[in-house]
Amino acid sequence: MDTPVPLSDQDLPLQGLYLHLVRAGFQLSVRDLEDAHRAIRMGYGIGTRDDLHTLCRTLWARGDEEVVRLQAVFDRLARPTPDEVDRLVGRPPEAATSTSAEARPGPSAAGTASPTTESAGVTTPRAEFGDASEAGMALPSVRTVSQPAQRYLFEARPPLSMRSLVIAWRRYRVTQRSGPPVELDIDATVAEQCRTGWLLRPVFVPARRNRARLLVLVDASPSMVAWRSLHAPLAESLLHSRLGQAQLLYFDNDPLDGLFDTPSFGGLKDAQDVLRQQGEGAVLVIGDAGAARARRDRKRLKGTARFVEHIRHQGGRLAWLNPMPRDRWGDAARPLAAWALMDELSDDGLTHAVDYLRGARAN
């Protein structure tokens, strides 16, 4: 087994360990180092030395021999001093001193403090027991000392995931043969040979292609601010939809008032021209239809009715996904549910809408 190369004290622990393993013969790439960094940012391998060892073994060791060699490397690495830890994590010296004092168990003015467990900024509640005379019944009183709570990382999560959107779009297929003849038509070839008695040339036909056309309209009015995180996944998912034609536009309450290229209402387009070009293609609308503010707007209802009638007149199909729960639609959105297919903005609702648009289910 190769002798490990000594690590420099000036290197970062993860970078130095990575370079050391590469020199020792581990088949690691830059992506392996980036994966380790990403895992650490997500909270893995930062609790104790054993946690880091487990992370490196999971990501970098490919075989029993490399597991043994990695264990030997960790056994030979010197444990850092508290000052080195503070310097690496960027903690001020005074903060480190106060943290060490709080973490060290010992008698206090109130009595004896139970030890606490601190790891990666996560601490357990600590109870301090006062003197028995303070309780008035020959029993020690207990005072709970507030400790830093566990840290959580909150990320914006759109109502529909990228995976759900792409899967739904790929369900929508209207296949039609088009283009040059590149696929062998076995039935036609056999029939031609039976008719003539010999095969001069095989019969080819154009390949089947998805000719489905989908127009997605998203309400970007102020009442839809809570669901703006869906804009980016929608745009990206349509690029991977494999549809014959897919277009994403935005509107402000009433689609017939104008359609826009961006959610900030840039790039105005005439709505009737866009719908006329869509023809018999499918239209999917995402909007609250006034249900978010629970306000019945007669002007908005009339505009929506004209929009639905315009699509029906052209022979197209319309499905509407409402981000508000069904029991919150009220008088604002319930009339629209009687004119077109309306469902909740969810994975099931999206699947039902796409099935309706491709003619696999009734309204």
Side-chain angles (χ1 to χ4, degrees):
M1 183 165 55
D2 298 338
T3 303
V5 180
L7 296 177
S8 172
D9 295 337
Q10 302 299 325
D11 294 333
L12 292 176
L14 198 58
Q15 179 183 358
L17 178 61
Y18 167 79
L19 296 176
H20 171 78
L21 295 177
V22 171
R23 298 191 198 103
F26 279 64
Q27 300 298 322
L28 301 177
S29 63
V30 177
R31 175 172 292 184
D32 295 319
L33 180 60
E34 293 176 351
D35 291 341
H37 288 164
R38 189 179 301 108
I40 288 178
R41 287 195 296 269
M42 295 174 63
Y44 297 98
I46 61 175
T48 62
R49 183 188 182 97
D50 294 336
D51 293 337
L52 181 60
H53 178 214
T54 302
L55 175 65
C56 295
R57 183 181 61 211
T58 303
L59 296 179
W60 294 348
R62 300 176 176 87
D64 297 337
E65 181 183 355
E66 291 189 353
V67 170
V68 175
R69 295 172 62 185
L70 183 63
Q71 179 66 53
V73 170
F74 266 83
D75 292 341
R76 296 179 184 180
L77 285 176
R79 295 182 178 271
T81 64
D83 294 338
E84 292 175 342
V85 173
D86 297 336
R87 176 176 56 82
L88 291 174
V89 301
R91 182 167 42 192
E94 56 274 9
T97 305
S98 61
T99 303
S100 302
E102 292 180 0
R104 183 170 57 250
S108 60
T112 304
S114 61
T116 62
T117 303
E118 297 188 4
S119 176
V122 180
T123 60
T124 57
R126 184 178 63 184
E128 292 185 353
F129 295 87
D131 188 73
S133 60
E134 297 181 6
M137 56 182 65
L139 293 175
S141 61
V142 180
R143 295 190 297 269
T144 302
V145 180
S146 61
Q147 295 291 326
Q150 184 175 359
R151 298 171 182 172
Y152 294 93
L153 180 61
F154 294 95
E155 296 182 356
R157 177 178 298 179
L160 296 175
S161 65
M162 174 70 67
R163 180 175 181 272
S164 300
L165 289 168
V166 173
I167 291 177
W169 304 146
R170 293 187 179 180
R171 288 173 61 93
Y172 184 32
R173 298 184 60 82
V174 179
T175 58
Q176 181 181 356
R177 294 191 180 275
S178 62
V182 293
E183 289 187 357
L184 176 64
D185 190 339
I186 298 179
D187 294 339
T189 302
V190 172
E192 180 67 17
Q193 184 177 9
C194 293
R195 186 177 65 84
T196 61
W198 57 79
L199 181 62
L200 295 178
R201 65 176 63 88
V203 180
F204 290 92
V205 293
R208 291 186 179 272
R209 304 178 185 274
N210 188 10
R211 311 300 296 177
R213 293 182 298 165
L214 179 63
L215 174 62
V216 181
L217 304 179
V218 181
D219 188 358
S221 61
S223 61
M224 290 286 294
V225 171
W227 297 280
R228 286 187 177 177
S229 60
L230 185 62
H231 294 171
L234 264 177
E236 186 175 354
S237 64
L238 288 174
L239 298 177
H240 306 281
S241 62
R242 298 180 183 174
L243 293 168
Q245 178 181 348
Q247 189 176 14
L248 175 63
L249 298 175
Y250 303 88
F251 65 94
D252 185 6
N253 289 331
D254 187 354
L256 289 183
D257 285 346
L259 300 176
F260 303 89
D261 292 328
T262 64
S264 58
F265 304 127
L268 177 62
K269 296 179 180 295
D270 185 83
Q272 294 188 2
D273 290 344
V274 173
L275 296 178
R276 191 178 303 110
Q277 294 174 4
Q278 185 68 6
E280 296 182 357
V283 179
L284 176 66
V285 182
I286 300 177
D288 65 310
R293 295 180 176 176
R295 184 177 59 190
R296 185 184 179 93
D297 190 338
R298 294 182 179 274
K299 180 181 178 181
R300 182 171 185 172
L301 282 175
K302 290 181 179 179
T304 305
R306 290 188 297 109
F307 169 71
V308 174
E309 185 61 28
H310 191 92
I311 294 178
R312 283 181 177 178
H313 180 72
Q314 295 184 158
R317 283 180 172 264
L318 171 66
W320 196 297
L321 294 180
N322 198 321
M324 297 297 295
R326 189 179 299 271
D327 56 359
R328 294 283 303 276
W329 289 355
D331 295 337
R334 191 167 290 118
L336 179 58
W339 302 334
L341 173 70
M342 177 177 283
D343 213 324
E344 295 183 5
L345 184 62
S346 62
D347 291 341
D348 292 339
L350 178 62
T351 301
H352 295 163
V354 171
D355 288 344
Y356 169 74
L357 293 177
R358 65 190 183 98
R361 59 167 291 178
N363 189 349

